[in-house]
Amino acid sequence: MSAATLSPGLAADLAALTAADAVLDPGHHPEYGHDATAYRGLRGEPDAIVLPGSAAEVAAVLAYCYEHGLAVVPRGGGTGLAGGAVPVEGGVVVASDRLRAVRSFAPERWTIEVEAGVPTADVQRLARENGLLFAPDPGAAEQSHIGGNVATNAGGPHAFKYGVTGRAVTGVEAAMAPGELARFGGALAKDVAGYDIAHLLVGSEGTLGIVTSVSLRLLPAPAASLPLVAFFAEAAAGCEAVAAVVGSGLQVAALEYLDGATLAAVAGAYPGALPDDAGFLLAIEVDGDEEEARRLAAEVVAALGDEPLAVHAPQGRSEREALWRWRDGVSGAVAGQLGGKVSEDVAVPIDRLLEIVEGTLAIGERHGLRACSWGHAGDGNVHSSFLVDPRDEAQLERAEEAADELFGLAVALGGTISGEHGTGWLKRGQLGRQWDPAALAAQRAVKRALDPKGLLNPGKKGDPTGPSATPNPNEQER
Ligand SMILES: Cc1cc2nc3c(=O)[nH]c(=O)nc-3n(C[C@H](O)[C@H](O)[C@H](O)COP(=O)(O)OP(=O)(O)OC[C@H]3O[C@@H](n4cnc5c(N)ncnc54)[C@H](O)[C@@H]3O)c2cc1C
């Protein structure tokens, strides 16, 4: 693939709106042509890359692109797992790297406003250093940007108690077509004036506007967080335990699982002793003040009953951190088995968890692939993965077919094609499997109203204005 070159005219125009060093030549910066899906072969060649230094510059760039009919691809940290930030069909990549200001921070009122390019981990650190908690904890927090988290409505292990990113958002400032800045909401605990456009932008994957700044609600940090790890012989017992914990009414903070094949991939690095015959693991965390957390931990152990082979309670901060570091390493360790993986993020009602866990293995077997799953059991959000050698094109193709079958299974179980990573480019054409024609029509109407020229991240988020990439049975029936 030959590298794209930046046209001098476009470069000069964009530099006049921003700064000379804010416009990058795609030929010299291939890293802006892909996100974390590169190993699946997804790469693009933008016409230009621009790094605006302020919200006003973002709006000016959008106005220019809108006037000249150029597609705009908003980009945060490039850690997306759905290809949302990949300029598959060219266009101008508008990256948030230079939007790094903390506009306001009032710890005593639990509020903060940060620009879109502030890394997620910086917001978490700032909150922590002030006795507060920014609860969303997606896995790539050091690299992802808060604007990207808002645009994907990212989740993480502690979303079970605290919700996904959108729950922390009280306001959004965004550059909207045809190129103006608009503020929706702000540092307010309550605001029901007008349509909730802030939360329409949450999860919109850069298809409705470019987020420039976000107002967030922080929480008082819990004094104690106590993890527990329960091992089971098999998935059925583990999924019953998930139902028992949720059904008990105990509010645990995180309720994660690893199936047997995943556990095998990371067993060597587990920071503790693993029972030999463990075929399923639950990592549970409870929090609160010291007394409350200890009481909850004891009640969770009681709710698990006699099914676990063993329950391990990491002690102290370092053991707790070691456990979560190990959990963060799961995705990379699974990919390391053969060099790559096609991993999806379907979600199902939690009473169907066992079916999606077992279904993942059965789909892998049908396609001649090693498969495994892990994820956020309490949210029914499963990272079903098909292991591949990325150099083996036939294997990659089979893995994509397996992912397609997985989407069908998730929908058949009453679930969704994406619980976390978004639709992006990779799941284009899939939304019609899940939504009825009227729901799709409403989605298209929103897109047309806010992006009448269809220039904001075209082809992403199910491409609601365009034809589906794969036939949509619901639409054919219409
Ligand atoms: C190792 C690893 C672990 C991960 N763990 C999790 C996890 O636990 N939970 C989870 O939800 N995700 C997870 N992800 C996926 C990814 O980190 C999230 O989707 C994250 O929110 C993406 O943020 P980003 O800044 O990297 O966005 P990008 O990848 O740059 O962009 C993602 C999407 O948002 C749009 N976008 C970005 N910035 C803006 C903006 N300012 N305005 C409008 N649209 C914008 C892009 O166009 C694109 O559609 C993980 C990824 C990796 C690689």
Side-chain angles (χ1 to χ4, degrees):
M1 194 158 61
S2 65
T5 43
L6 177 63
S7 106
L10 180 58
D13 287 353
L14 291 173
L17 299 169
T18 54
D21 68 351
V23 184
L24 307 183
D25 187 335
H28 297 132
H29 292 276
E31 67 276 18
Y32 287 89
H34 64 83
D35 64 5
T37 60
Y39 65 89
R40 289 170 74 162
L42 189 64
R43 285 172 193 276
E45 288 185 1
D47 298 303
I49 302 152
V50 60
L51 279 43
S54 69
E57 288 182 9
V58 175
V61 170
L62 178 58
Y64 174 89
C65 291
Y66 231 74
E67 191 186 333
H68 292 85
L70 286 168
V72 172
V73 182
R75 182 184 178 89
T79 67
L81 288 168
V86 181
V88 189
E89 296 175 333
V92 176
V93 168
V94 180
S96 55
D97 304 24
R98 293 186 179 180
L99 299 176
R100 292 273 161 131
V102 175
R103 289 197 182 165
S104 66
F105 181 29
E108 70 288 2
R109 293 197 297 276
W110 311 353
T111 62
I112 189 167
E113 183 184 355
V114 291
E115 290 191 334
V118 174
T120 316
D122 286 8
V123 181
Q124 293 169 336
R125 268 191 291 271
L126 200 51
R128 200 166 46 239
E129 284 162 10
N130 287 275
L132 295 169
L133 173 72
F134 176 59
D137 55 347
E142 295 288 346
Q143 295 82 37
S144 66
H145 294 180
I146 208 76
N149 296 160
V150 169
T152 53
N153 201 5
H158 293 81
F160 182 58
K161 175 174 179 181
Y162 295 104
V164 290
T165 301
R167 198 186 296 174
V169 172
T170 60
V172 173
E173 178 195 81
M176 307 293 289
E180 277 168 300
L181 276 183
R183 283 188 79 88
F184 307 102
L188 291 169
K190 295 170 99 177
D191 180 2
V192 295
Y195 296 119
D196 189 357
I197 297 177
H199 286 94
L200 187 58
L201 289 165
V202 171
S204 65
E205 299 181 53
T207 61
L208 300 179
I210 309 175
V211 176
T212 50
S213 174
V214 189
S215 299
L216 298 166
R217 185 187 5 243
L218 306 172
L219 297 170
S225 298
L226 304 179
L228 294 165
V229 185
F231 301 96
F232 300 85
E234 54 185 33
C239 291
E240 265 175 42
V242 170
V245 172
V246 175
S248 70
L250 298 168
Q251 177 64 84
V252 307
L255 181 45
E256 301 279 294
Y257 86 95
L258 270 60
D259 80 348
T262 308
L263 193 49
V266 291
Y270 182 72
L274 276 170
D276 289 340
D277 41 359
F280 196 88
L281 170 154
L282 290 182
I284 305 167
E285 189 164 271
V286 293
D287 64 11
D289 62 38
E290 285 285 347
E291 198 188 318
E292 186 188 4
R294 291 204 182 284
R295 178 184 54 78
L296 269 172
E299 287 177 0
V300 167
V301 172
L304 291 172
D306 296 333
E307 280 297 344
L309 300 169
V311 178
H312 168 211
Q315 298 297 314
R317 192 172 156 185
S318 68
E319 284 192 21
R320 171 180 182 259
E321 286 175 357
L323 174 71
W324 286 115
R325 252 196 323 276
W326 174 77
R327 165 64 186 86
D328 278 349
V330 166
S331 175
V334 168
Q337 300 275 290
L338 294 183
K341 62 180 168 58
V342 167
S343 197
E344 290 300 351
D345 64 318
V346 296
V348 295
I350 56 163
D351 57 329
R352 315 305 294 268
L353 187 62
L354 180 61
E355 289 164 87
I356 197 81
V357 169
E358 290 183 337
T360 299
L361 299 179
I363 290 171
E365 206 171 310
R366 270 198 289 285
H367 292 269
L369 298 164
R370 284 170 62 186
C372 64
S373 73
W374 70 94
H376 315 301
D379 293 326
N381 186 189
V382 173
H383 295 307
S384 298
S385 300
F386 305 103
L387 275 53
V388 292
D389 173 346
R391 295 162 304 185
D392 184 337
E393 297 225 344
Q395 208 176 49
L396 262 174
E397 210 168 292
R398 291 205 308 279
E400 296 295 348
E401 285 163 12
D404 192 72
E405 198 178 327
L406 177 78
F407 297 143
L409 175 62
V411 173
L413 294 174
T416 172
I417 57 171
S418 178
E420 219 171 40
H421 304 150
T423 326
W425 177 266
L426 290 177
K427 298 186 194 106
R428 68 195 185 285
Q430 297 283 351
L431 205 54
R433 293 171 92 158
Q434 180 178 329
W435 282 15
D436 58 40
L440 288 172
Q443 163 128 338
R444 289 201 178 97
V446 168
K447 172 71 173 172
R448 268 194 300 271
L450 295 183
D451 180 20
K453 290 190 180 177
L455 294 173
L456 280 160
N457 218 0
K460 311 291 174 55
K461 197 74 190 167
D463 191 12
T465 53
S468 289
T470 54
N472 173 345
N474 287 336
E475 295 216 300
Q476 283 164 8
E477 278 163 21
R478 213 179 175 189

